Amino acid sequence: MPSFPRQQARTRRFSLGRPRDIRVAADGSRITYLRSRAGDDPINCVWVIDVDPFAERLVADPRQLTSAAIEDLPIEERARRERARESAGGVVAYGTDRLLTTATFAIGGELFRADLVSGSSTTIPAPGPVVDPRPDPTGARVAYVCDGRLHVVHRGGRDEVVTPSEEGDAEVTWGLAEFVAAEEMGRSRGYWWSPSGDAVAVARVDIAGVEKWHLSDPTEPSRAPVVVAYPAAGTANADVSLHVVWLDGATVEVAWDRARYPYLARVNWAEGSPLTLLVQSRDQRHAQVLVVDPHTGTTEVRREDHDDAWLDLVPGVPAWTAAGELVTAAHVNDTMRLLVDGRPVTPEGVEVMGVISTETDLVYAGSEDPAEVQVWRGASPLTSGAGLHGAVLAGDVTIMSSTDLTTFGSRVTVHRAGQPLGEIQTVAETPVVSPEVSFLRAGNRHIETAVLFPTGADDTAKLPVLLDPYGGPGHQRVVRARNAYLESQWFADQGFAVLIADGRGTGGRGRAWDRAVHLDLAGPALDDQVAALQAAADKHPRLDLERVAIRGWSFGGYLAALAVLRRPDVFHAAVAGAPVTDWRLYDTHYTERYLGHPDEEPDAYGRSSILDDASKLSRPLLLIHGLADDNVVVAHTLRLSCALFESGRDHTVMPLAGISHMTPQEVVAENLLLLQVRFLRDALRTDE
């Protein structure tokens, strides 16, 4: 039996072998998805299920389609995968037409087109490495990005660059999402086909004004640093505009007040709907929904929203109903609700997480319990049972995915006209650990908290405590899903009582809960971890409050370092992975949403930075950071380490050469867990 660290690393956190990116043809005739052949196989293939009769077919296996290096990727594709936190290989993204008769994808920069009916695949010649290929909705043409320009392959194979020529200007790209759109807005696309396939809306991105940062690999001193255009808080963003390119040769620029609304947050050009944009002000307190005349580029404001703190971006909106009504989302009486032409239509108290479909009925993901997500149609839930549920639907076919505390991974079921047809198979591995989780709502704020103990341990012995949070805005860790606790259970089985708490700002509980971190990312987050710990200890006397550690990655790493610096009376050791230590070094869209512009809110940045706390360190601290991280750059850890050293404070730094913000490499991912356990045992003086 493999060890859990090795198994989790080999299976990319048990994500391999699971169906993903599931789509249904508009007429309900077939289903497509990506899945690797086994739970330890990182190479995704393209699969099809013919609905009648219900049968699965393998359409495209990258190993059989090309002899080229599958993971020899263009720079733009590597960046796209990093922003998407993509850890698999092979086909990791694909485009389809409306009826799922054709699919396009890139493998190692080569362009492929698959006939989803016959199952055959062919290459399409391209002048260079291909990024983000997608057919138009009719399946007649294929668009892709190459060298920062948008190409269209017409019927008969003619390849045409359709965006204006900007020879020699490497800082301008067409058809790619800029950094903050992909990293923070949830917009990974840079172009959108018209429903009829005769035009493309294309984002033009100019990074000339963005600060250039240099990321080097000290293990390869002969290699030049990688130059990254990074829009840090308070500095210039990329200049983003949108243009409608007609395939008959005409190009028009879409006009809106880009000075006031520089963020292009959403673009929607769906069947039966107008070209629609959601644009935001830089402070994210104002937004407009715009309808575009694609022939002239003129826009009409269809809705405006304002929030004194910030406006949230909800997946799937703006959208349109079949009757031509505008669907948006906004907080109403502390609940995120869907609005149809400005009227709230979802129930009070059901927090909308994202829109699934507006084709016939309004179907969306919503939560009455912050640890669960159900699928709703109008005011009625379509799913039940504690867990996380999702759906994909088109025509009369509905696909439900469900994960809960009783089974590993998720179950994906297919229904037609309300009748079950079958399941989409998963071949993911079964973990060698089996989480047993108890829950409580801690303290006066009823903080959602999960507690895990060592499997089969004496229920009277005192245990050192390990807090294992993320704790940052918009990300919940306390959910009714078994796989969410695999790593935490493994840490528990090493002899710890493990505590996970979702404090203020983590989402799922309405506007007031989220806005509690406005202008202070440190205080509320740390206070709620302490409150959850104290409440858990009251309920579980086995928790030894004289031996308390905390670990985390990214915001969780920031929170871990913050804990030992500001509350050494509570926390006795910390492991901080890729921590943000100075919010002036993090990106505009995320940081300014919560802390404002640093020139206007310097005190907020001072409250939230931990660099000035370095002299307070009195507990063991392990800092881990990837030297190739272009999201939370290694300067964060190095600046904190320098401040600690200058204050005479002992600490440990583990630099990871060639590692980005993700750690998908098998040996690295495995050893990171083992390293942390050794450090924590030594720091807390626990027996192995």
Side-chain angles (χ1 to χ4, degrees), residues 374-538:
Q374 305 291 342
V375 177
W376 293 70
R377 175 182 285 126
S380 303
L382 296 178
T383 53
S384 61
L388 305 179
H389 304 273
V392 181
L393 61 157
D396 60 352
V397 172
T398 299
I399 300 173
M400 291 289 188
S401 63
S402 299
T403 182
D404 56 33
L405 289 168
T406 63
T407 56
F408 291 110
S410 58
R411 183 184 181 198
V412 184
T413 56
V414 182
H415 307 259
R416 189 171 202 177
Q419 300 300 312
L421 287 181
E423 293 191 18
I424 300 180
Q425 183 184 16
T426 178
V427 292
E429 286 195 11
T430 300
V432 297
V433 300
S434 185
E436 295 296 331
V437 191
S438 62
F439 299 95
L440 71 148
R441 289 181 173 169
N444 295 333
R445 287 186 289 274
H446 307 290
I447 301 162
E448 295 287 334
T449 306
V451 184
L452 300 96
F453 292 106
T455 303
D458 177 1
D459 61 4
T460 61
K462 283 278 191 178
L463 291 170
V465 185
L466 175 61
L467 276 71
D468 191 16
Y470 177 77
H475 181 73
Q476 298 164 249
R477 285 214 55 211
V478 182
V479 293
R480 306 291 194 264
R482 199 171 197 182
N483 274 43
Y485 302 101
L486 296 175
E487 193 170 290
S488 298
Q489 183 65 59
W490 179 80
F491 272 99
D493 290 343
Q494 309 314 301
F496 297 91
V498 177
L499 188 75
I500 306 166
D502 285 347
R504 283 168 289 175
T506 53
R509 292 181 61 171
R511 182 186 182 281
W513 183 263
D514 290 349
R515 279 17 177 219
V517 300
H518 187 219
L519 303 181
D520 186 0
L521 287 172
L526 181 55
D527 289 348
D528 284 358
Q529 295 300 312
V530 174
L533 172 64
Q534 292 170 340
D538 289 342

Side-chain angles (χ1 to χ4, degrees), residues 625-640:
H625 218 121
L627 299 181
D629 195 332
D630 66 351
N631 178 22
V632 183
V633 295
V634 73
H636 285 275
T637 283
L638 296 180
R639 289 189 183 185
L640 177 58

Side-chain angles (χ1 to χ4, degrees), residues 533-549:
L533 172 64
Q534 292 170 340
D538 289 342
K539 183 174 181 179
H540 301 285
R542 301 170 63 188
L543 274 60
D544 185 352
L545 296 186
E546 297 301 315
R547 294 182 295 166
V548 178

